[in-house]
Amino acid sequence: MQNKLYNAIGLCMKAGKAQSGAFSVEKAIQSNRAKLVLVEHSASEATKSQYIAMCKHHQIPISFVDCVGEAIGKPGRVAMAVLDEPFRTMIEGLLSQE
């Protein structure tokens, strides 16, 4: 199931329905364009806390996954904002199946 999840994450990025990188993700959250935020489990506790606080303040769901950067073809990125409701629904469905 994990392979389907990472394929969906990659497809979302290729379709232009996602933002990655700290600045872009923060901007998407603050402008309420983000429908879902994905953060890597391996991110630092400070980074996780920052995203949790921002998402809670703006009432945006957040999930933790293993390889955001690799799934979107940009190793080293630890966060991604999904900007499209259908992609959010698909990714959340795959997350719930894990």
Side-chain angles (χ1 to χ4, degrees), residues 36-92:
L36 171 68
V37 174
L38 301 173
V39 179
E40 280 198 22
H41 287 293
S42 64
S44 71
E45 290 303 317
T47 300
K48 289 178 188 177
S49 298
Q50 176 186 6
Y51 284 114
I52 290 169
M54 280 192 291
C55 288
K56 185 176 180 180
H57 178 72
H58 292 279
Q59 299 177 344
I60 297 170
I62 185 170
S63 294
F64 297 92
V65 295
D66 289 328
C67 302
V68 170
E70 291 177 20
I72 63 173
K74 297 180 180 184
R77 301 272 170 102
V78 296
M80 172 182 150
V82 176
L83 307 177
D84 186 59
E85 194 66 43
F87 274 111
R88 172 193 167 197
T89 303
M90 178 173 52
I91 291 170
E92 284 182 331

Side-chain angles (χ1 to χ4, degrees), residues 1-14 67 70-72 87 90-91 94:
M1 193 55 60
Q2 194 164 353
N3 196 23
K4 286 184 180 181
L5 172 64
Y6 295 121
N7 287 340
I9 292 170
L11 181 63
C12 180
M13 190 68 179
K14 287 179 186 173
C67 302
E70 291 177 20
I72 63 173
F87 274 111
M90 178 173 52
I91 291 170
L94 292 169

